[in-house]
Amino acid sequence: MADPNRPPSPTAPPQPETPAGKSEPAGKNVPVKNLELKATMLLAFTVALIVASALFLLRARGYFEPKQQLVLVADNAEGVASGMDLTFSGFPIGTVKRVELGERGNVRILIDVVEKDAKWLRTSSVFTLIKPIFGSAQLRAYSGVLTDPPLPDGAERPVLRGDFNEEVGRVIGAAKDVLDNLNQITAANSELNRSMQNLQAFTQKLQGNKGALHAIFGNETDAQKLVAAIDRANTAMAQVQRLAANGDRLVGHADQRVFGQGGIADDAQASVRQLHALLAETRGSLQRVDAVLKEAQGIAGNVNKASEDLGSLRGDVEANLRKIEDLINDLNRKWPFSKDRKIELP
């Protein structure tokens, strides 16, 4: 039974009549041939394209190339993840395979390095883990001496960490310590402040009427003692200078007395000349004695005469010897530094 409150349903519009002689377009409702096969082929081609792209990417990443393993040991592996590159001079030469915790609590980073690129790694190579402010962490290798032996397969090497955030905290701590030290230095009761006060007091003493000595010694008594000591030293120097002048005058007089005209040196020279003359006379007397002795030996009959001649000659010789002795004594008195000379007669 129809509901009287229900609005009447709209009447469907009448379909236009198809004119006679006109038919619907051909193929409008005709099914496509081999549609499932074509869809399957398209799907397989898409899958094959995806697989080929994946294989190409894996090959480009060196997945199918032979590799050797490298183990890096660090105390913290923050920022390190599987698939991360190990770079050398900006070029990736290895990939992080996995990260594990070692038996001693350190972190072991296992890296696969392509064998053709492993030639750049040497036993002296250095590995770093750098974590910048922005971006991910970076693993880098540095080889300073390429002539060193190559790095063997499965080698373990320590890695040096460089975390900017940690360095910033350390720098801030150091800056804080410096500021604390500056505050302690510039405090009112600091050593520097007391030193500046002492320096100011010393400067004021220097500018005072008592001068620098009072500033150095701190009291007037010691300053006066120093001044008196300086005065005594000046007096002593003056006396030394006078003594030196007297010594110079004494040396001049001695030089004039000894080496001047009419001095001891001239008297000594005159005495030496007289001694030479006496020695010459003595030599002549001795020659005459020799002649007489020869005559005495040759002429036995004239013994008495020869004896008289010998007596006179002996007297001459003794007189000459006395003259020589007087001259020697005179020389000893005038030239006390000369040595004694002895004259021995035959």
Side-chain angles (χ1 to χ4, degrees):
M1 182 173 179
D3 190 1
N5 296 326
R6 183 177 180 180
S9 59
T11 305
Q15 297 290 335
E17 296 181 357
T18 302
K22 292 184 179 180
S23 61
E24 293 181 358
K28 184 176 180 180
N29 295 325
V30 177
V32 179
K33 295 181 179 181
N34 302 322
L35 180 60
E36 294 179 357
L37 179 60
K38 293 180 179 179
T40 303
M41 292 178 63
L42 180 60
L43 182 61
F45 177 75
T46 303
V47 172
L49 183 61
I50 293 173
V51 171
S53 300
L55 292 176
F56 178 77
L57 290 176
L58 290 175
R59 183 180 180 279
R61 295 285 293 178
Y63 186 79
F64 299 105
E65 295 181 0
K67 301 179 181 64
Q68 73 178 38
Q69 195 175 45
L70 171 64
V71 180
L72 298 180
V73 180
D75 56 352
N76 190 351
E78 185 179 358
V80 180
S82 299
M84 183 177 176
D85 290 334
L86 171 66
T87 60
F88 177 83
S89 298
F91 292 90
I93 60 173
T95 306
V96 177
K97 185 177 181 180
R98 68 175 183 273
V99 181
E100 61 185 15
L101 190 62
E103 296 180 356
R104 298 182 179 179
N106 51 8
V107 179
R108 292 168 55 88
I109 305 172
L110 280 71
I111 301 175
D112 289 336
V113 181
V114 182
E115 286 188 356
K116 69 175 184 178
D117 295 330
K119 62 183 179 179
W120 303 113
L121 300 180
R122 302 291 173 171
T123 55
S124 60
S125 297
V126 178
F127 301 92
T128 60
L129 175 60
I130 301 174
K131 186 178 179 183
I133 301 178
F134 304 102
S136 60
Q138 299 176 358
L139 277 173
R140 296 177 181 177
Y142 300 93
S143 297
V145 183
L146 296 177
T147 56
D148 289 343
L151 195 66
D153 188 10
E156 291 188 6
R157 289 292 183 273
V159 61
L160 304 177
R161 293 181 63 252
D163 194 346
F164 184 79
N165 296 325
E166 294 180 0
E167 295 296 331
V168 167
R170 192 176 296 110
V171 170
I172 292 175
K176 184 178 178 182
D177 294 339
V178 171
L179 292 176
D180 292 339
N181 293 331
L182 288 176
N183 291 330
Q184 293 178 1
I185 290 173
T186 57
N189 57 349
S190 64
E191 296 292 336
L192 180 62
N193 193 12
R194 288 197 292 269
S195 299
M196 294 300 296
Q197 291 176 358
N198 294 333
L199 181 61
Q200 185 177 3
F202 182 76
T203 305
Q204 291 177 356
K205 289 181 179 179
L206 288 178
Q207 294 176 353
N209 296 326
K210 298 181 180 180
L213 292 178
H214 182 267
I216 293 173
F217 291 103
N219 55 72
E220 187 68 22
T221 303
D222 293 337
Q224 291 178 357
K225 289 180 180 179
L226 180 61
V227 173
I230 293 174
D231 292 337
R232 289 194 298 270
N234 292 330
T235 304
M237 289 297 297
Q239 292 178 357
V240 170
Q241 290 178 357
R242 287 195 297 272
L243 290 175
N246 294 331
D248 291 338
R249 287 194 298 271
L250 180 61
V251 171
H253 291 318
D255 190 10
Q256 182 66 27
R257 184 71 181 86
V258 175
F259 300 103
Q261 186 176 3
I264 297 174
D266 293 338
D267 296 339
Q269 290 179 359
S271 299
V272 169
R273 285 193 293 268
Q274 292 177 4
L275 180 60
H276 284 308
L278 290 175
L279 289 175
E281 293 178 0
T282 304
R283 190 180 298 110
S285 299
L286 292 175
Q287 289 175 358
R288 288 194 298 270
V289 169
D290 291 336
V292 170
L293 289 175
K294 289 180 181 180
E295 291 178 357
Q297 291 175 0
I299 304 172
N302 298 325
V303 174
N304 293 328
K305 186 178 180 179
S307 298
E308 292 177 358
D309 292 336
L310 286 174
S312 62
L313 288 174
R314 182 179 181 84
D316 293 338
V317 170
E318 289 179 355
N320 290 330
L321 289 177
R322 283 193 295 272
K323 292 180 180 179
I324 291 171
E325 185 178 0
D326 294 336
L327 286 175
I328 289 173
N329 293 330
D330 192 9
L331 283 176
N332 287 330
R333 287 193 300 272
K334 294 182 179 179
W335 194 265
F337 300 104
S338 62
K339 296 182 179 180
D340 295 337
R341 296 182 180 180
K342 296 181 180 180
I343 300 174
E344 296 180 357
L345 298 176

